[in-house]
Each structure stands twice: as structure tokens, then as C-alpha cells.
Amino acid sequence: MTVVYWAAYGMLGVGAFLALVRLGIGPSLLDRVVATDTLLVIIAAGLAVHAGLERDPTVVPVLVVVSLLAFVGSVSVARYIGGMLVGSADDGQDVGLPEAAEERAARAAEASR
Amino acid sequence: MSVLEVARDVLAVALLLAGTFLCLTAGLGLLRFPDVLARMHAGTKPQVLGVLLVMVGAAIRLQGWSATWMLLLVAVFQMLTAPVSAHMVSRVAYRRRHVRRDRLLVDELRTGGGGAGDRVYKGDEPADAPPEEPATALAESREEDGRAENGRAEDGVR
Amino acid sequence: MSAESAAPAAHRLRHQLPLLVWLVLVWNLLWGTWSWANLLSGVAIALGVTLLLPLPPVTGGSRLRPLPTLSFLGWFVLDLIGSGALVAWQTVRPSGIDRSAVITVQLRTDSDLLLTIVAESLSLVPGSMVIDMDRERRTISLHVLHVRDSGDVERQRASVLKQEERVVRAFGSPEEVAALAPARSTGRVAT
């Protein structure tokens, strides 16, 4: 069992360290976003491994929060970077939702009338 | 401890170790891959397969139902949200030319007239991705500048 | 007047019902235990969320065929494991990755929900990632790893089309399944 502990936490630690290195050197902001995302996933995996190996369910709610935070963080930063785009027709953020099929049908019915 | 329980533990530990190994390769891929899009492939892999393996492993080890449901919820959230964030980041990455086009075999989004892609180089450029056609890029950006200048001049005349 | 306004409301409620059920389910899963109190508070919260933050309605393809759905899920898990192992091998092998490619595939289905499912499942499988999607022309642009020559590109394109076919067979309406059959296209975008 000790071997399993060392193997699991060792691999997670090295993976998290490599993600941190990319976070540090990553030449662009997006590299850092991807690295942060991966780092949070590795942290979530570490919490789950802890819960599994120790049979300790107290960290499971933390897991839910961490996995949702990763999503919110990377999406908001991606939108922010998209907003800095220059010279493109639509600036990486959707101006509105793409037209739903229902609305298109309604408009077609309106036009044909 | 019955044989069944031992088998279950072995299975759970194997799943956990496989998931952590995927996390390790994710870190490795982040460091080794050449551009943002390729690195994202490395990042999404543990996000989906690794999280799934780890969650199943932990759910086998934890015997309370409440924890199992919550782990299931985490897995479902990951499956729903990972593509969304991956898509948003990759789309911005493509438009901002964080892509090493010299490593692309074909680029049909560009040649197929997809209409995506901005013309001006500006802002947060990756240091390792040189403009693949420096002359064209320069000409284009000069053209843009010229157009902007003209627009301003016309405004001034009016 | 009231009947006219009541009909769209009922229509909207019918569209929102799966969302409500899903929200109540999530609420219960978050609490971890099932009880009447959880159920009732879940219903209250779900109603509040859908009223405060309304979503545009999703049309089409809300049926579910058991057998094709199973086949879709099975292929999906196989794909996930297979290409996950492939990408993992590419990261650890000494020579690193091959060249990658951005391909554009012409899809055949014309339903928001089905296109969303196709795009999500393609993004989830490691090795392919959706960059952009043209809703009007029904084309989808993917970044794919591990392509060595144009044969690989065509193979990837074929696998995208096959994935689309599985999704439509599992969740699509009969008309959409019928629309698959004649168009044995190569998935190339007509330019």
C-alpha cells in the first residue's frame, strides 16, 4: 500500500510540477490558461486519490467546487483574451447567441406570409 | 477479507494509478508539445479520461452512497464543461495565431474560406510562434494602417 | 388573449421540463441523500433558476433510441480509451508528436441539439478538438493530432462523419436519420 501511495502522489506531484513550469515559462497568456486548467484538474485528481486511498469522504464536496472553479476560471480568462482581439469581424465573443432553428422557422413563416 | 473485496481493492487502486499516470503525461505533454492547440490536447486528456478513471476508482473505494453520487456529479460536470472551455480557448488561440502553422499538415479553416482569422498582429503573441509569412503579414498590417490613416484624413476633410 | 399567452407558456414549460428535472437531480446529488425536503427545496430552486435565468428553447431530436444510444456510448468509451492511450504514448515517446492538422468537415444534420452533442463528443475524445463551427453552412472545424499524410486526414474526416451518424441514430428524429442515408458524402466542404 505504501508503494501505491508513493507512486500515486509521486506521479501527481511531477505532473503538477510540470504544469507549474509551463505556467511559469508559457510564452503566452493562453498557455498559462491551459496550464492552470490542467493544474486544477490534477489537484482535483489528487483530492479524489486521497479520498479513495484513505476511505475519507470529507474532501468530496471540495472536489465539486474545485472542478467547477476550473471551468469558470478558464472560460472567463478566454473571454477576456477574446475581447482583446483586434481587426476581426467578431471579436471572439459571441455578440448574441446563434440563431436557433425555431426562430429561423418563425422568421421564414413570417416572410412567406 | 474475502477474495471479492481484495479484487475490488486491486481494481480501484489500478484505476487510481492509471488516472494519476494520465495526469503525469498531461504535465509532460504541456511541456513538450509545440503550440497551444497541441498542449490543449494534453490538457483535455486527464480532464476527461483521467478524471473518469480516478472518480470510478475512488467511488469503488468509498462505500457511502452519498460520496458516490457526488463523485458521479463531478465526472458529469467535467464531461459537460471540459469541451466548452477547450473550445473557447482553442478558438481564441486560433484567431490570435497562437498556432504554429508550419507544424500543420493542412489548414482547411484558412484555405476553405472559413472567414475566421484576423489580419493584424497585435498583443499577446507567443514568443515561439513566428509569423509564418512575415512579408505578407507586414504588407497586410501596413495596408490596415494606411486604411486607418485614410479614414482619419477623410474625417478631417469633412 | 389569455389563451394565446397561456399556450406559449405551456409550450415553454414543456421545453423547460427536462432542465427542471436535471436541476432537481443535481440538487439531490449535491446533498448526497434523497429526502422529501431535498426534493421540495430542489424544485423551488430549479423554478427560481429557470425563471431568473431563462435559456432559449432547444428544439428537435429529444427522443432516445435505446440500442443506438448504447452503441454510441460504447463507441464513445472505446474511442476515449483508445485515443487517450495514443495521445499519452505520443507525449512520453522520445520523438514527440507528429504534425497536426486543422480540418473542416461538412456535416449533414441540421439540428442545434444534435450538432451540440456531436461537437461535445468530438471535443471530449483526446486527439481532436473543435475550433470553430459554422452553423449556417453546417461545417465544423477541428484540430486533430497524429496525422502523418493526407490519408490520415481522410480517415479522421470519415471518423467524424461516423460519429455524427451514431449521434443522429441515437438521438435524432426519423427525418434526420433519413437525411443521413442519401448523402454518402466524403465530408469535404464544397468551395
Side-chain angles (χ1 to χ4, degrees):
Chain A
M1 216 54 195
T2 328
V3 182
V4 173
Y5 276 109
W6 280 104
Y9 289 125
M11 286 198 280
L12 284 172
V14 173
F17 176 73
L18 292 176
L20 271 178
V21 170
R22 177 49 76 193
L23 188 64
I25 66 174
S28 72
L29 209 49
L30 285 170
D31 288 296
R32 298 197 167 98
V33 174
V34 176
T36 317
D37 211 12
T38 313
L39 189 63
L40 274 171
V41 171
I42 291 179
I43 289 172
L47 287 174
V49 166
H50 171 81
L53 290 181
E54 303 275 345
R55 292 188 195 275
D56 172 20
T58 45
V59 292
V60 174
V62 184
L63 205 59
V64 179
V65 175
V66 168
S67 71
L68 284 182
L69 265 187
F71 169 66
V72 173
S74 62
V75 164
S76 51
V77 176
R79 279 193 75 99
Y80 168 67
I81 301 174
M84 302 199 305
L85 274 177
V86 272
S88 63
D90 58 336
D91 49 0
Q93 318 187 18
D94 285 327
V95 187
L97 287 165
E99 205 174 23
E102 206 174 56
E103 285 169 26
R104 194 142 25 98
R107 211 184 38 185
E110 192 80 26
S112 69
R113 205 153 29 149
Chain B
M1 207 154 161
S2 69
V3 180
L4 192 68
E5 270 176 45
V6 172
R8 231 166 61 165
D9 270 8
V10 167
L11 178 67
V13 168
L15 287 175
L16 286 178
L17 283 181
T20 53
F21 176 69
L22 278 179
C23 290
L24 172 65
T25 60
L28 208 60
L30 274 183
L31 214 54
R32 285 190 65 193
F33 282 178
D35 66 0
V36 179
L37 287 180
R39 282 175 203 144
M40 295 211 49
H41 285 287
T44 9
K45 176 163 45 71
Q47 248 181 337
V48 185
L49 190 56
V51 163
L52 222 59
L53 288 175
V54 169
M55 294 305 152
V56 172
I60 293 177
R61 285 277 295 184
L62 289 170
Q63 269 131 3
W65 277 113
S66 123
T68 311
W69 291 131
M70 239 181 261
L71 290 175
L72 178 75
L73 203 61
V74 173
V76 170
F77 276 158
Q78 280 291 342
M79 305 270 281
L80 285 179
T81 57
V84 178
S85 60
H87 164 69
M88 291 199 67
V89 173
S90 63
R91 192 163 104 135
V92 172
Y94 187 87
R95 300 204 169 187
R96 297 198 56 139
R97 304 189 172 219
H98 286 264
V99 184
R100 295 199 40 190
R101 294 224 165 87
D102 53 329
R103 299 294 289 262
L104 290 179
L105 190 66
V106 284
D107 185 357
E108 290 175 350
L109 187 58
R110 192 155 175 245
T111 55
D118 41 4
R119 283 280 152 75
V120 187
Y121 287 86
K122 202 161 180 182
D124 183 49
E125 292 288 336
D128 59 348
E132 72 278 16
E133 298 147 24
T136 328
L138 191 62
E140 275 174 2
S141 77
R142 284 221 177 108
E143 198 182 312
E144 291 275 342
D145 288 349
R147 213 178 302 146
E149 288 284 322
N150 286 344
R152 220 170 298 138
E154 277 166 23
D155 279 353
V157 168
R158 251 188 292 133
Chain C
M1 182 71 198
S2 67
E4 234 172 49
S5 67
H11 184 70
R12 225 183 49 220
L13 191 68
R14 199 170 58 80
H15 274 301
Q16 301 275 358
L17 201 60
L19 185 64
L20 279 175
V21 171
W22 162 247
L23 284 174
V24 173
L25 188 69
V26 167
W27 182 254
N28 274 291
L29 289 182
L30 274 177
W31 277 100
T33 51
W34 194 91
S35 72
W36 284 108
N38 278 350
L39 189 70
L40 289 180
S41 58
V43 168
I45 294 223
L47 279 174
V49 167
T50 45
L51 284 181
L52 285 178
L53 310 162
L55 283 175
V58 177
T59 54
S62 55
R63 70 209 69 222
L64 209 143
R65 297 192 192 79
L67 218 59
T69 306
L70 270 184
S71 125
F72 163 67
L73 287 179
W75 274 105
F76 177 68
V77 170
L78 279 184
D79 254 8
L80 206 60
I81 294 171
S83 49
L86 189 61
V87 178
W89 163 238
Q90 282 178 335
T91 57
V92 294
R93 75 177 177 194
S95 61
I97 61 163
D98 304 326
R99 315 182 67 172
S100 46
V102 176
I103 62 171
T104 308
V105 183
Q106 174 76 54
L107 297 176
R108 292 155 293 181
T109 172
D110 193 19
S111 142
D112 289 338
L113 182 65
L114 292 181
L115 284 175
T116 309
I117 298 175
V118 171
E120 280 244 343
S121 59
L122 284 174
S123 279
L124 277 176
V125 170
S128 63
M129 197 164 50
V130 176
I131 293 182
D132 216 331
M133 187 164 198
D134 192 330
R135 182 66 189 81
E136 290 296 319
R137 279 184 280 181
R138 290 184 270 161
T139 60
I140 190 166
S141 299
L142 304 142
H143 181 256
V144 288
L145 278 184
H146 54 74
V147 285
R148 273 186 299 275
D149 46 22
S150 50
D152 277 342
V153 172
E154 292 308 316
R155 222 163 295 140
Q156 293 276 4
R157 208 194 298 276
S159 79
V160 170
L161 285 179
K162 200 165 275 172
Q163 177 79 15
E164 185 209 4
E165 190 178 333
R166 282 197 288 266
V167 169
V168 173
R169 281 195 197 292
F171 306 109
S173 62
E175 302 90 66
E176 279 154 356
V177 176
L180 281 180
R184 279 261 164 246
S185 66
T186 53
R188 285 185 169 279
V189 179
T191 44

